[in-house]
Amino acid sequence: MSIVEKRFVPIALALCLSLLGGRAASAQEIVRVSGTGAGVALMGPIIEAFEKENRGVRVHLEKSLGSSASIKAVAKNALDLAITSRPLKPAESAEGLLVSEYGKSPFVVVTNLRTKESNVSLNEVAGMFSGKIPKWSNGDYVRVVLRPNEDSDTKIMRAISPEMDLAVTAAQARKDMLLGITDNDAFESVKKTPGTIAFMALTLPLSQPGGIKVMQLDGRQGSVTAMARGKYPFVKPLYLVTRKGAAPAVDKFVSFLNSKKGKSIAVRHGLLTAGNK
């Protein structure tokens, strides 16, 4: 073999391997996922388990866009799957979208880690929202973290009781309340601000252990087990939205979400999936 050949062969081999690697990478199927923060929060470990079993599929978890924006993105083919906090509206279904129930997460009271209390009554929560109870026992002023009025979390809060409905309306008129536009905004407000109180899906605090405190409500712990046994009544539903005629990789990922392994992971991270008791 000549000197030229000796130099050329390694270069040619490297080029071939590079081309083959590029083809392998391009052959991977991509599934783009986003949605409400409560849904996105539990996707990390589920995606990791799915990709270990499906080497040819990559799931790109996008930053939380919220339910409505994610549904629009699926309709425009900018996303493949949206995890939403509401079902489709008729106009959205007419765009060729499909929806299925994913599961339910306990809708819990949360507060800043500095708060000493670990249990509150629903009457106390209503008093804090309305301003009738202005301070915690450690002296911190109560700071209510609300969501936009049309947000699904606000609707769930209002439906808890007539007193909570009135308390939410009162809180919206207060100048000292904090507004979390998204699930993640609300979580960060509670995490960073002493004295805060809010409602949110359990999937969010479980996604960042030690970030915020989950409180008992009237002595009841908001857990998936308690919810499944009918001992915790307040829940936030989640839904899966896809397009008609979605790629096989999308169907494969949705099937994994509804599989025994997918459901088991979801339960550990705060979601009781549909059909799972």
Side-chain angles (χ1 to χ4, degrees):
M1 185 180 291
S2 68
I3 295 176
V4 173
E5 289 174 326
K6 289 180 179 179
R7 291 179 177 176
F8 175 75
V9 170
I11 296 173
L13 181 59
L15 180 60
C16 288
L17 290 174
S18 175
L19 290 173
L20 288 172
R23 288 175 184 173
S26 63
Q28 279 195 326
E29 299 175 274
I30 305 296
V31 179
R32 301 158 298 174
V33 179
S34 186
T36 182
V40 170
L42 62 89
M43 281 294 107
I46 294 177
I47 290 171
E48 182 179 358
F50 170 79
E51 290 184 340
K52 284 182 179 179
E53 295 186 4
N54 299 270
R55 297 293 184 181
V57 183
R58 291 293 303 276
V59 181
H60 287 180
L61 184 60
E62 311 291 346
K63 182 179 179 182
S64 172
L65 300 175
S67 295
S68 295
S70 294
I71 290 171
K72 290 179 181 178
V74 173
K76 294 181 180 296
N77 199 25
L79 282 179
D80 299 302
L81 172 66
I83 307 164
T84 71
S85 58
R86 64 171 178 82
L88 294 174
K89 299 175 182 178
E92 294 166 338
S93 297
E95 294 188 66
L97 299 182
L98 301 173
V99 64
S100 61
E101 184 182 358
Y102 184 24
K104 296 177 181 179
S105 182
F107 195 60
V108 295
V109 177
V110 296
T111 185
N112 185 267
L113 289 177
R114 198 170 109 171
T115 302
K116 292 181 178 180
E117 283 87 340
S118 58
N119 176 67
V120 290
S121 69
L122 188 56
N123 285 336
E124 287 173 329
V125 175
M128 291 177 181
F129 270 62
S130 68
K132 293 178 181 178
I133 301 177
K135 291 183 179 181
W136 295 93
S137 63
N138 65 358
D140 284 339
Y141 281 98
V142 172
R143 300 294 305 278
V144 176
V145 181
L146 290 178
R147 302 299 304 281
N149 191 47
E150 294 304 313
D151 190 89
S152 61
D153 281 16
T154 302
K155 294 176 182 179
I156 297 172
M157 280 190 286
R158 289 186 178 280
I160 287 174
S161 70
E163 292 76 19
M164 273 304 302
D165 185 19
L166 293 173
V168 170
T169 298
Q172 289 176 333
R174 295 172 57 180
K175 295 181 179 180
D176 62 340
M177 70 90 181
L178 302 173
L179 182 64
I181 299 299
T182 67
D183 286 346
N184 293 334
D185 290 339
F187 181 93
E188 288 301 317
S189 290
V190 174
K191 182 179 179 180
K192 295 176 181 178
T193 312
T196 44
I197 186 170
F199 277 94
M200 64 180 60
L202 182 62
T203 55
L204 287 154
L206 289 187
S207 70
Q208 294 187 41
I212 62 178
K213 178 186 286 189
V214 179
M215 305 191 77
Q216 290 185 357
L217 185 58
D218 286 320
R220 294 177 290 188
Q221 188 67 50
S223 67
V224 172
T225 300
M227 183 183 67
R229 293 175 178 173
K231 294 183 178 180
Y232 191 83
F234 311 121
V235 302
K236 178 171 180 171
L238 292 178
Y239 303 86
L240 302 175
V241 175
T242 58
R243 291 185 306 279
K244 290 181 180 177
V250 180
D251 293 334
K252 188 178 292 186
F253 182 57
V254 172
S255 294
F256 184 82
L257 294 179
N258 293 314
S259 70
K260 185 176 181 180
K261 179 176 283 189
K263 289 181 176 182
S264 176
I265 298 171
V267 165
R268 294 198 301 270
H269 292 83
L271 185 79
L272 184 69
T273 53
N276 196 353
K277 295 183 180 180

